[in-house]
Amino acid sequence: MAEATWGDDTKTPAIDWRMSASLEDVPRGSEDIAEVTSLEGAVRAWRELDPAHQSAATLTLERAIQLDGVSLTAFTGNSISALVEKLPG
């Protein structure tokens, strides 16, 4: 019989950083157009925004990820920083 283990890996399994993600509510030039890119690219772009634009941003994922035991498909404002901490090196 296999023994079940519970730890941080079960609360936050590996994230597919190549999945599509949309970074919205961020001005691009004179327009406010959503950028669709990889999740990693969107999180890195959010990290470079000034604090006001970081707070206004919305990140929508192609499919749900599990972060700290919670399944999520979207992040808003400064909650995106939880993904910054998980970015691959």
Side-chain angles (χ1 to χ4, degrees), residues 1 4 15 30 32 37 40 42 47 50 53 56 65 67 69 73 76-77 81 87-88:
M1 179 191 304
I15 296 172
S30 62
D32 185 3
T37 185
E40 181 178 355
R47 187 175 59 180
D50 63 73
H53 289 113
I65 62 169
L67 190 63
T73 57
T76 56
S81 67
L87 279 169

Side-chain angles (χ1 to χ4, degrees), residues 11 63-75:
K11 289 184 177 183
R63 60 186 172 278
I65 62 169
Q66 194 169 353
L67 190 63
D68 297 328
V70 178
S71 182
L72 301 161
T73 57
F75 295 80

Side-chain angles (χ1 to χ4, degrees), residues 28-52:
R28 290 175 178 39
S30 62
E31 298 181 21
D32 185 3
I33 301 172
E35 177 182 351
V36 177
T37 185
S38 69
L39 175 56
E40 181 178 355
V43 173
R44 291 188 188 283
W46 178 86
R47 187 175 59 180
E48 300 302 317
L49 296 172
D50 63 73

